[in-house]
Amino acid sequence: MVNNAKKYGLEGSFAAQLQEFADMVQQDADEVFQIVATEVGKSVINLTPVDTGRALSNWNAGINAPDDVYRETEDPLDSRTSSRLAGEFQSLKFGDTAFITNATPHIPFLEYGSSKQAPSGFVRITLARFNNIVQDAVSRVAK
């Protein structure tokens, strides 16, 4: 294979600068993705109606595969759940697939209005906010 960088005189300083730029763009893309996944997760968690806390404590983060673990624990204040999800998404890389799942058997009923606390759902509301979440993440990384 021909070394096109050498052929077109792109070795040395310019090639190094180009690589540095590519690395920086990759880091920024990773960071935006991590922020978006975490903020989407936080939104769904914060909007989930709470009775016992079981539905809330079963939000899971998965990278490149869903995490369908069901926990019997209850986290009515969402403190552990949000931290667990945010921690998991810190290793996301642009190009990965982020999964936010909930294995609570009654979660579909809660999403579609069985709770007076969230008659419009929580996933659908988060989905409607998605573009704003992405724009906010891009703005945070661009600073």
Side-chain angles (χ1 to χ4, degrees):
M1 185 164 114
V2 175
N3 181 344
N4 285 327
K6 187 174 186 177
K7 180 180 174 182
Y8 294 107
L10 299 178
E11 286 189 311
S13 178
F14 180 72
Q17 290 174 355
L18 197 56
Q19 184 59 53
E20 185 178 329
F21 176 74
D23 292 345
M24 185 178 63
V25 168
Q26 182 66 48
Q27 287 176 324
D28 287 352
D30 291 347
E31 189 175 351
V32 167
F33 191 29
Q34 292 164 2
I35 292 169
V36 168
T38 300
E39 292 302 318
V40 166
K42 284 181 184 178
S43 176
V44 172
I45 290 167
N46 290 335
L47 294 170
T48 299
V50 177
D51 181 15
T52 64
R54 190 159 291 152
L56 190 111
S57 66
N58 274 285
W59 285 110
N60 299 310
I63 299 175
N64 296 322
D67 177 352
D68 293 328
V69 171
Y70 176 71
R71 293 170 181 77
E72 291 291 333
T73 59
E74 298 173 356
D75 185 12
L77 302 176
D78 89 58
S79 56
R80 292 181 305 251
T81 305
S82 292
S83 296
R84 181 172 36 82
L85 188 132
E88 182 73 28
F89 283 148
Q90 289 306 303
S91 62
L92 270 173
K93 300 289 181 204
F94 189 76
D96 287 340
T97 301
F99 288 87
I100 300 171
T101 56
N102 192 315
T104 305
H106 62 280
I107 204 76
F109 299 104
L110 292 175
E111 172 63 24
Y112 288 98
S114 70
S115 171
K116 289 182 177 23
Q117 293 178 36
S120 299
F122 33 92
V123 174
R124 291 173 291 157
I125 290 172
T126 299
L127 182 60
R129 296 177 178 168
F130 184 75
N131 286 340
N132 289 336
I133 292 170
V134 172
Q135 289 172 354
D136 289 346
V138 169
S139 294
R140 285 170 57 184
V141 171
K143 288 183 177 179

